[in-house]
Amino acid sequence: MFTVSGVMAEKEEQLYAKVTPRRQRQNRAGTLKHGSSLDVLLSMGFPKTRALKALVSTGGRNVQAACDWLFSHVDDPFLDDPLPREFVLYLRPSGPLLHQLSQFWQQSRVMCGKNKAHNIFPHITLCQFFMCTDAKAEALCEALQTVVGQWRGRFPSPLPLELYISSNFIGLFVDEKVAEVLKSFAADFATEATAKADVHVEPHKKQLHVTLAYHFPTNHLASLEKLARGVDVSLGCDWLAVLFSRDIRFANHETLRVMYPYTPQNEDELELVPGDFIFMSPVEQGSASEGWVYGTSLGTGLSGLLPENYVNRADECDTWVLHGSHSFLNCTSPTVSIGAVGGLFFDGQLDRRLLDDQSSVEQHPLSVIGHPMQMLQTNSQSRLPKRTLFVCRHGERMDVVFGKHWITQCFDAKGRYVRSNLNMPGSLPARSGGYREYDKDCPITVFGATQARLVGEALFESHTVIDFVYCSPSLRCVQTAHNILRGLQQDGKTKIRVEPGLFEWTKWVSGSSLPAWIPPTELAAANLVVDTTYRPHIPISKLTVSESYDTYITRSFQVTREILAECKALGNTVLIVAHASSLEACTRQMQGLSPQNAKDFVQVVRKIPYLGFCACEEMGETGVWQLVDPPILPLTHGPNHSFNWRETLLQD
């Protein structure tokens, strides 16, 4: 990965001067519009064509993602190529139906191997691929958001689907009358896209359907049919209008995923970074010579020879960029940008682990079309306050900043604490088992407390009210929750419920025992706003050392469901403050998604920073939960290394 050069440092003051006054120009989802992001990139000296290309190539998420893309593509020979990108509009399901379809996807792949349907996540195609220039991409996204807003309350729900099976195709077809309604929506989008972005969109004219399998060996038909008949299309679903783009140059290329790093030995070879993707043309697919192939890197735009056994086949959509995901139930219709599976671009590329989709819906009469009263009822429900779940990681921890030996540096033989750095807290809660218990249950730093307070203040400024706060028993989580409530100005109104079931995967705990956590009564005595009357859903006695991954995931899902059930009808907003792993473990199955394998899970967790924050909303009365943009901006900061003025300034 490339690092930001001196250009960033030279323009830093200009950057903050540009960004700060534009806070009022944020959209409702809390992200900066392309216009302001583009202004920042231009102020940093990037040519407009390059800045636009970077924003579009990363889904228009933020300035930092665009900068990372530009610096990694500094030697890309096509960096100034004015070619447009190809866009497509799909409908994709979410919630319980998505869970069913994801299971079908996984089981069919395991039992029968990959077929053509696996190249793209489950979807209903609403239009053909069409071209749009980088300069018009933002207008295109606005066109989709406008049309989805116009169709709320008119969108057919549920979508009647019928299973169709032939010798080489299995799919779910939309009822013809309903399909005509969906085509009208696509036509409206085409009209709006032409008016706002000057593009030509051709709505899909064939029968609308979700492809489950095709181009598979005949001997797999029976197994695939059995799996397909097990998909319950009557399950709840919120259909999302999603807009994707891809690089037009690689539309017909084979997509490969880099598995192992490789350093070039010759000038014509390509450097490989695990997680990157490689595009290989159809001509090059059959021309591998002695285990070497020729391809182009998604991460850098460079081309060259690479060892064939360092890459694996990937799916076509793994490299697509998501530009918008809009719910027909959600009034705010957040636009979601999601990162790449491989980990190079987390602000634009499609992550299939988060977007395993497919279409569906109940096979009932067309009640939505035939009965206007039902549409009115759906409208009124959509205006009710939504149930929201926030999940947040704790703040900066002492042992990571100052090392495992901070305890011996700060406590004397009598157990008295004296800080040796301004970022160490001025005092620490007393522990009945002695200060050595801090070894497995460390506090947060002063800056960690500041991070948490900043998040609370941002929530306060967004007029967010937290009804219930739950947190892991780890001291760093309790302190973080306390400081978030301080920033929210709710520290005297809302008490923290300490829930052991929210503790991280116990396999990550060193030694043969769990931490000796401070009891809630002692936390309250240390002036932390803890609810001492709360009875946990999963008591400490139920936690085991070195639990399996499946046990941890099941535990997190169980306790999250029970927390939300406990709070239902008593409040709309729940905040969970726990660990980096909690953002994934507490929300994934709530969306109806299957758990990831342990390896992919760990890769996601490694990328979640201190005070990493996510939001999940319940979609109407469907029981479906969906990740949405949080009401606050992300928190980013740079490292500040230890400074000793004697060693640095008193040199001979």
Side-chain angles (χ1 to χ4, degrees):
M1 294 291 291
F2 288 85
T3 58
V4 178
S5 70
V7 175
M8 292 289 286
E10 294 172 7
K11 299 292 183 178
E12 185 177 24
E13 291 187 9
Q14 289 177 272
L15 174 60
Y16 287 118
K18 290 278 185 182
V19 175
T20 304
R22 298 183 193 282
R23 293 189 63 182
Q24 300 304 316
R25 294 179 56 183
Q26 296 164 5
N27 61 24
R28 296 181 68 180
T31 55
L32 291 171
K33 290 186 176 181
H34 272 209
S36 57
S37 298
L38 178 61
D39 289 344
V40 173
L41 292 173
L42 295 178
S43 75
M44 296 168 67
F46 293 112
K48 185 174 182 179
T49 54
R50 291 189 179 187
L52 284 170
K53 185 183 288 290
L55 287 169
V56 176
S57 297
T58 55
R61 181 63 170 173
N62 56 40
V63 172
Q64 185 60 57
C67 284
D68 291 344
W69 188 94
L70 284 164
F71 285 116
S72 65
H73 283 75
V74 66
D75 295 319
D76 184 347
F78 294 97
L79 185 58
D80 297 311
D81 193 324
L83 279 176
R85 290 180 68 87
E86 282 192 323
F87 286 76
V88 69
L89 178 64
Y90 288 155
L91 281 180
R92 70 175 182 89
S94 64
L97 178 61
L98 170 60
H99 178 62
Q100 288 264 316
L101 294 166
S102 298
Q103 285 186 320
F104 172 86
W105 233 244
Q106 295 164 4
Q107 292 171 351
S108 64
R109 200 160 188 167
V110 171
M111 293 174 58
C112 305
K114 181 178 177 179
N115 62 67
K116 286 287 185 179
H118 289 116
N119 278 327
I120 304 175
F121 51 84
H123 64 278
I124 296 176
T125 302
L126 292 182
C127 71
Q128 307 301 316
F129 273 94
F130 61 93
M131 292 184 290
C132 179
T133 63
D134 294 341
K136 297 289 187 178
E138 184 181 8
L140 181 65
C141 296
E142 291 176 354
L144 176 59
Q145 187 169 359
T146 297
V147 176
V148 170
Q150 295 170 349
W151 272 78
R152 289 205 179 88
R154 299 164 53 198
F155 188 83
S157 179
L159 291 184
L161 297 176
E162 183 177 353
L163 180 64
Y164 173 82
I165 299 173
S166 69
S167 60
N168 61 0
F169 177 89
I170 300 177
L172 301 169
F173 279 78
V174 182
D175 178 275
E176 288 187 12
K177 292 183 179 178
V178 177
E180 290 303 314
V181 178
L182 300 185
K183 290 178 181 179
S184 296
F185 165 75
D188 286 354
F189 168 69
T191 301
E192 190 74 13
T194 300
K196 286 190 173 180
D198 193 25
V199 297
H200 176 69
V201 179
E202 187 68 33
H204 197 61
K205 292 185 171 60
K206 298 180 180 179
Q207 288 181 290
L208 300 187
H209 64 278
V210 179
T211 300
L212 297 182
Y214 76 105
H215 280 199
F216 50 82
T218 306
N219 61 325
H220 290 165
L221 177 61
S223 298
L224 291 171
E225 179 178 353
K226 182 178 179 180
L227 289 174
R229 293 192 183 280
V231 176
D232 184 1
V233 297
S234 67
L235 292 174
C237 177
D238 176 20
W239 288 91
L240 308 175
V242 292
L243 185 66
F244 292 96
S245 76
R246 65 184 183 187
D247 192 319
I248 192 172
R249 295 173 297 156
F250 306 120
N252 297 312
H253 284 47
E254 183 74 22
T255 305
L256 308 171
R257 189 196 310 274
V258 177
M259 306 303 295
Y260 310 105
Y262 177 75
T263 302
Q265 307 298 313
N266 300 291
E267 290 185 0
D268 60 349
E269 295 174 3
L270 183 65
E271 181 180 5
L272 299 182
V273 177
D276 192 7
F277 291 91
I278 305 296
F279 298 112
M280 185 173 65
S281 77
V283 175
E284 293 150 359
Q285 291 177 35
S287 62
S289 175
E290 298 181 354
W292 290 76
V293 295
Y294 188 86
T296 303
S297 163
L298 171 69
T300 65
L302 301 176
S303 301
L305 292 169
L306 58 132
E308 190 176 20
N309 59 349
Y310 279 52
V311 294
N312 277 346
R313 303 284 176 179
D315 296 333
E316 178 185 341
C317 65
D318 284 347
T319 59
W320 291 2
V321 175
L322 175 64
H323 295 272
S325 178
H326 300 275
S327 166
F328 289 93
L329 293 178
N330 184 358
C331 302
T332 57
S333 184
T335 298
V336 182
S337 295
I338 299 178
V341 177
L344 288 178
F345 302 102
F346 300 101
D347 293 302
Q349 303 307 109
L350 167 67
D351 186 337
R352 291 201 62 214
R353 296 168 300 189
L354 297 177
L355 286 181
D356 281 13
D357 357 333
Q358 192 42 121
S359 41
S360 75
V361 90
E362 304 174 11
Q363 298 184 14
H364 293 312
L366 307 183
S367 54
V368 173
I369 298 175
H371 297 77
M373 288 303 294
Q374 184 167 340
M375 289 192 289
L376 293 174
Q377 184 180 8
T378 302
N379 260 339
S380 63
Q381 289 177 349
S382 67
R383 293 191 181 95
L384 293 174
K386 292 184 180 299
R387 297 179 67 205
T388 303
L389 169 67
F390 297 133
V391 186
C392 181
R393 187 190 177 190
H394 59 75
E396 181 181 81
R397 49 190 290 177
M398 283 275 282
D399 54 356
V400 172
V401 177
F402 298 106
K404 291 291 184 181
H405 301 294
W406 73 271
I407 296 176
T408 57
Q409 297 170 3
C410 296
F411 287 92
D412 61 19
K414 295 183 179 181
R416 291 175 297 195
Y417 169 77
V418 179
R419 68 176 180 175
S420 59
N421 189 285
L422 288 177
N423 196 25
M424 292 179 172
S427 61
L428 292 176
R431 306 191 76 126
S432 56
Y435 69 89
R436 283 291 176 185
E437 290 182 348
Y438 278 116
D439 184 47
K440 285 189 175 182
D441 187 30
C442 71
I444 58 176
T445 62
V446 172
F447 187 67
T450 303
Q451 290 172 316
R453 193 173 67 253
L454 285 172
V455 167
E457 290 172 354
L459 288 169
F460 180 79
E461 291 174 5
S462 70
H463 306 291
T464 299
V465 176
I466 303 295
D467 298 306
F468 297 97
V469 179
Y470 292 78
C471 82
S472 160
S474 294
L475 177 60
R476 58 189 181 273
C477 299
V478 179
Q479 291 177 320
T480 300
H482 175 85
N483 282 283
I484 289 176
L485 288 173
R486 284 183 61 197
L488 263 167
Q489 301 182 24
Q490 288 185 224
D491 50 324
K493 307 172 186 176
T494 307
K495 291 190 175 183
I496 301 165
R497 297 178 171 182
V498 179
E499 174 55 63
L502 292 172
F503 184 59
E504 64 186 348
W505 188 6
T506 62
K507 179 183 176 180
W508 291 335
V509 176
S510 61
S512 58
S513 62
L514 294 173
W517 293 298
I518 301 176
T521 51
E522 294 181 22
L523 291 170
N527 297 318
L528 294 167
V529 286
V530 172
D531 184 351
T532 57
T533 65
Y534 174 68
R535 292 187 177 182
H537 292 277
I538 299 180
I540 294 175
S541 60
K542 296 294 184 181
L543 299 181
T544 58
V545 180
S546 298
E547 66 187 339
S548 69
Y549 171 67
D550 289 341
T551 299
Y552 168 64
I553 291 298
T554 301
R555 164 167 65 86
S556 299
F557 181 38
Q558 174 192 338
V559 75
T560 304
R561 283 191 305 177
E562 292 179 2
I563 284 172
L564 292 172
E566 180 177 52
C567 299
K568 191 171 184 179
L570 300 175
N572 291 314
T573 308
V574 175
L575 169 65
I576 289 176
V577 180
H579 307 270
S581 56
S582 306
L583 275 73
E584 170 79 359
C586 293
T587 64
R588 184 173 180 85
Q589 288 176 274
M590 293 301 298
Q591 302 170 73
L593 300 174
S594 300
Q596 303 189 78
N597 61 54
K599 183 178 179 181
D600 287 342
F601 171 78
V602 170
Q603 292 303 312
V604 171
V605 172
R606 290 174 60 186
K607 296 156 192 162
I608 297 174
Y610 293 127
L611 270 299
F613 195 98
C614 72
C616 222
E617 281 188 355
E618 186 180 28
M619 311 305 291
E621 297 297 320
T622 63
V624 176
W625 288 77
Q626 178 187 332
L627 283 173
V628 299
D629 278 333
I632 62 174
L633 293 169
L635 174 64
T636 305
H637 60 87
N640 193 50
H641 302 293
S642 179
F643 173 65
N644 187 315
W645 67 271
R646 292 181 181 275
E647 294 178 1
T648 305
L649 302 179
L650 293 182
Q651 296 182 359
D652 295 333

